[in-house]
Every structure is written in structure tokens, then in C-alpha cells.
Amino acid sequence: MLFRTDPSSPVPLGEQIASSVRAALAEGSLTPGERLPAARALADSLDVNVHTVLRGYQRLRDEGLIELRRGRGAVVVEMEGARFRAGLLARAAELAAEARRLGVSEEELLTLVRQSFALGPAPASGG
């Protein structure tokens, strides 16, 4: 699995690390039960503080995508739909970033999402 960070990006490094994991899960190159690199080793390879890596890992834990266990490290959860969830979380983060760039408030964005959700499934595209 390849982790990428861009220190010049306005996105915090911990979130960039979490995004790398979400993307790998969504594309299937990271699967349930796999271990992520040890925080210290990943921090060294990315030339970032170990706490930065831990923030990214904690974010993924809070999202239900990984488990953090003392002595065992970070492990991708064995959860049905983990790949779909990771892809959805990645797209939600992109949507939030785009909304911030456009000056859309959190409440406005949530209203737009609620309206879209209420419309039900998108019609199938003809082809």
C-alpha cells in the first residue's frame, strides 16, 4: 500500500494518511484483516511526526474502518461493506472539501445532501 502526503496541501497530514487508507480499501488493494504499517515506521517513511500518523489512524478507527490494538497495531476491520463504506467516506471528504472551496457552509451542504437523499435513487442512465 502506498501512502502519499503533500505538506503544501491545506488538508492536514493525518487526514491525508486516512485518505490513502480509504482509497486503498475502496479500490480493493487493502482488504479486511490486513495490518497497516506500524505508526512509527510509517512516520519515519513519510518524514512526519508519529502523532500525525496516529491521528490519521484514530480517524479511521472512529469511522469504523480499522481497529487499533496495543501490541497488534492497526488492522482493517472484518466488516461487510467495508470497501463500499471506505469509498463513500472518501467521496464525502471530497464533497466537504469542494463545499469549503466554494464557500458553502456546513449547514447548507447538509441541506443539499438531505434533499438529494430524499429524492431517492438516481435514475439509471440509458446507454
Side-chain angles (χ1 to χ4, degrees):
M1 170 174 180
L2 182 62
F3 287 88
R4 292 190 189 110
T5 58
D6 177 4
S8 66
S9 170
V11 177
L13 293 172
E15 178 55 33
Q16 290 182 45
I17 291 167
S19 292
S20 293
V21 173
R22 282 188 216 107
L25 272 168
E27 70 187 22
S29 63
L30 185 63
T31 58
E34 277 191 65
R35 286 186 185 187
L36 298 179
R40 188 167 307 284
L42 183 56
D44 289 344
S45 73
L46 295 174
D47 197 26
V48 299
N49 188 291
V50 69
H51 296 289
T52 299
V53 174
L54 290 173
R55 272 193 296 279
Y57 281 7
Q58 288 166 349
R59 176 78 180 253
L60 293 164
R61 180 202 58 206
D62 293 347
E63 293 171 353
L65 297 175
I66 67 169
E67 292 178 341
L68 293 174
R69 295 188 180 157
R70 196 174 220 7
R72 190 165 171 228
V75 180
V76 177
V77 296
E78 301 274 350
M79 176 179 87
E80 183 153 339
R83 184 174 177 185
F84 169 77
R85 182 177 177 84
L88 189 59
L89 287 166
R91 288 191 302 276
E94 291 168 6
L95 178 62
E98 181 67 14
R100 279 191 293 278
R101 275 193 297 278
L102 296 172
V104 174
S105 73
E106 178 181 354
E107 194 51 46
E108 288 175 292
L109 178 60
L110 291 174
T111 298
L112 291 170
V113 170
R114 285 184 191 110
Q115 288 171 349
S116 295
F117 200 77
L119 293 174
S125 60

